[in-house]
DNA sequence: GGCAGATAGTTGCATATGAAACCATCCCGG
DNA sequence: CCGGGATGGTTTCATATGCAACTATCTGCC
């Protein structure tokens, strides 16, 4: 760790050169990846959940009457990925999937008591960890950050 | 697209509930993923590059005398992934990999003229796209955003 | 000099993922 | 009604990835 340079020697700027540290997509990705890695370790080690499963559970805690399709749109995950995550959660008895009375194609997803119990342990841990992460930001900085991210997401919809 | 609700009905908050839209790791990941998806489409369609390959190229444009190890530490990518990305770039004649005179274990990476030419077309496109993305942010908001992200990264090092 | 451990990089293997094909159900126009 | 799409969801298949084992080289210590 102390052997190599922590920061690269930067070549002169200019056309055909890209300063990645000023390139938002790169910075955002690096940060998100590192955060994701940390949380993933937490879910995986203690609860044997992968990211997709965690997201499904989190949405189930967040809003009632969920379906796989909704999870796809909310989380931007592929429907195959969601399907497999839900399957794993059903197999573990954390979630129920029942065909909707209205539309037999749709399956309503719900937490089982076991799933709710697991979440009631996991969520506080995740929130504590997040609190520690953002401890260096003031309340205003935190608000501005979420705000800027919201603007970027809306701009993405416009561009894409 | 217009059929489903864009925003989920949110259940009551409380213990055991998690509002994902206020949960920074989730928000950050979703934003980074969406941006990444867009850029990936751009690299892939027009230049037949995947993300790992693009990152290696970008670092090569950014600083001279690079090695696979440095790419690993800078980008947080697995060394196998970097190795395969470099291999692909060498096969395509975009990058050279020569054993270092000092240490036969390390390989110096350099752009070929072809690689530099490709970057000189790709980088402006990426920058234009980024400019469009952040067009909704004021200069101050943009600076604050990068600043907050820097703080989070430093805090991550402390925590992890 | 020479062995023990570290380090750069590659390769083999198991798994996670996305795209596309597929199935079942629903909806709509005639 | 009923036939052609659309839609929710699953499965199949190819690929990308991470981990671990491995090779080759280097470094330090005796």
């Amino acid at each position: 760790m102390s052997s190599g340079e922590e920061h690269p020697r930067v070549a002169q700027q200019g056309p055909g050169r890209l300063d990645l540290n000023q390139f938002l997509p790169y910075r955002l990705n690096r940060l998100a990846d590192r955060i994701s890695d940390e949380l993933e370790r937490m879910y995986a080690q203690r609860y044997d959940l992968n990211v997709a499963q965690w997201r499904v559970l989190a949405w189930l805690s967040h809003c009632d009457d969920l379906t796989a399709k909704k999870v796809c749109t909310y989380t931007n995950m592929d429907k195959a990925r969601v399907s497999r995550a839900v399957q794993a959660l059903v197999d573990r008895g954390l979630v129920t999937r029942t065909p909707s009375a209205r539309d037999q194609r749709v399956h309503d997803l719900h937490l089982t008591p076991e799933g709710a119990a697991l979440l009631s342990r996991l969520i506080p841990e995740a929130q504590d960890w997040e609190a520690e992460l953002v401890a260096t930001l003031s309340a205003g900085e935190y608000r501005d950050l979420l705000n800027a991210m919201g603007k970027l997401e809306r701009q993405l919809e416009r561009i894409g």
Side-chain angles (χ1 to χ4, degrees), chain A:
Chain A
M1 175 138 312
S2 56
S3 63
E5 316 167 34
E6 215 26 71
H7 297 291
R9 186 148 356 124
V10 171
Q12 69 279 14
Q13 301 297 309
R17 301 264 182 182
L18 180 61
D19 181 359
L20 284 169
N21 284 316
Q22 298 298 320
F23 189 58
L24 189 64
Y26 172 77
R27 286 287 301 275
L28 215 41
N29 237 307
R30 193 177 61 183
L31 178 59
D33 275 357
R34 285 180 175 161
I35 290 177
S36 196
D37 282 352
E38 285 297 320
L39 278 179
E40 208 172 332
R41 201 178 345 267
M42 194 166 117
Y43 316 145
Q45 281 185 353
R46 303 198 211 173
Y47 300 98
D48 195 32
L49 296 172
N50 67 25
V51 175
Q53 292 161 9
W54 152 252
R55 285 182 187 165
V56 172
L57 284 181
W59 273 105
L60 279 170
S61 92
H62 182 52
C63 62
D64 304 321
D65 80 302
L66 206 60
T67 70
K69 180 66 197 305
K70 289 182 184 178
V71 175
C72 288
T73 60
Y74 299 161
T75 64
N76 220 33
M77 288 195 290
D78 187 86
K79 59 183 183 169
R81 192 179 175 192
V82 172
S83 173
R84 290 186 266 247
V86 168
Q87 185 60 53
L89 294 172
V90 170
D91 289 347
R92 279 179 65 181
L94 300 175
V95 164
T96 60
R97 176 186 43 190
T98 55
S100 162
R102 305 305 183 87
D103 184 339
Q104 295 295 119
R105 292 172 304 178
V106 176
H107 298 264
D108 292 324
L109 303 177
H110 287 289
L111 284 174
T112 63
E114 292 77 19
L118 187 149
L119 274 181
S120 72
R121 284 182 293 137
L122 179 44
I123 286 176
E125 284 184 36
Q127 285 172 329
D128 288 351
W129 188 85
E130 187 210 15
E132 206 175 343
L133 174 66
V134 302
T136 50
L137 300 181
S138 73
E141 284 174 323
Y142 181 66
R143 179 177 34 71
D144 291 346
L145 176 62
L146 285 180
N147 204 277
M149 287 171 51
K151 283 190 181 181
L152 290 176
E153 283 190 310
R154 263 169 273 129
Q155 180 70 350
L156 262 182
E157 310 247 318
R158 229 168 287 141
I159 298 177

